[in-house]
Amino acid sequence: MLFKFDLQTNCSGLTDITSEVSEAVSESGVYDGICVVFCPHTTASIMIKCDADVKANTSETVIIAGGKLLLGKHQRIYFCERNESESRQFFVKVI
């Protein structure tokens, strides 16, 4: 199942999109599987971050277990904008 989200960024920085991704997983009905979060923009990225982590990619893959994203206690999924203000999209594919 593929989900498309529109996002308006206000400035360069991070936007927490964990709730949108979690809602897509819940709506998909997938109990055990894979969730891919993809950003089709060259000046933006997707990252899974906690306090010390700075990894950024155009996509992230998260395991689904028990119908929920398998993230660490302090991990969140972020849309990372490198421009000042843009109309953006990101996609969530749940398998």
Side-chain angles (χ1 to χ4, degrees):
M1 189 169 253
L2 180 66
F3 299 85
K4 175 185 165 188
F5 294 90
D6 294 313
L7 177 69
Q8 180 66 43
T9 59
N10 296 323
C11 62
S12 61
L14 302 177
T15 302
D16 188 339
I17 60 171
T18 308
S19 61
E20 290 90 338
V21 177
S22 293
E23 288 174 22
V25 168
S26 180
E27 187 178 324
S28 76
V30 172
Y31 191 75
D32 289 307
I34 298 291
C35 174
V36 178
V37 183
F38 172 71
C39 165
H41 305 288
T42 57
T43 59
S45 59
I46 301 294
M47 64 171 38
I48 296 175
K49 182 180 178 344
C50 63
D51 295 334
D53 189 5
V54 293
K55 185 178 85 165
N57 299 305
T58 57
S59 69
E60 290 286 351
T61 302
V62 182
I63 295 169
I64 300 167
K68 299 187 184 301
L69 295 170
L70 187 61
L71 292 172
K73 182 178 179 180
H74 300 289
Q75 288 182 321
R76 306 290 293 171
I77 302 169
Y78 292 93
F79 187 96
C80 179
E81 177 62 68
R82 293 186 184 91
N83 283 336
E84 288 304 312
S85 179
E86 295 287 340
S87 179
R88 299 296 197 178
Q89 297 175 337
F90 67 94
F91 297 86
V92 176
K93 177 70 173 179
V94 181
I95 304 168

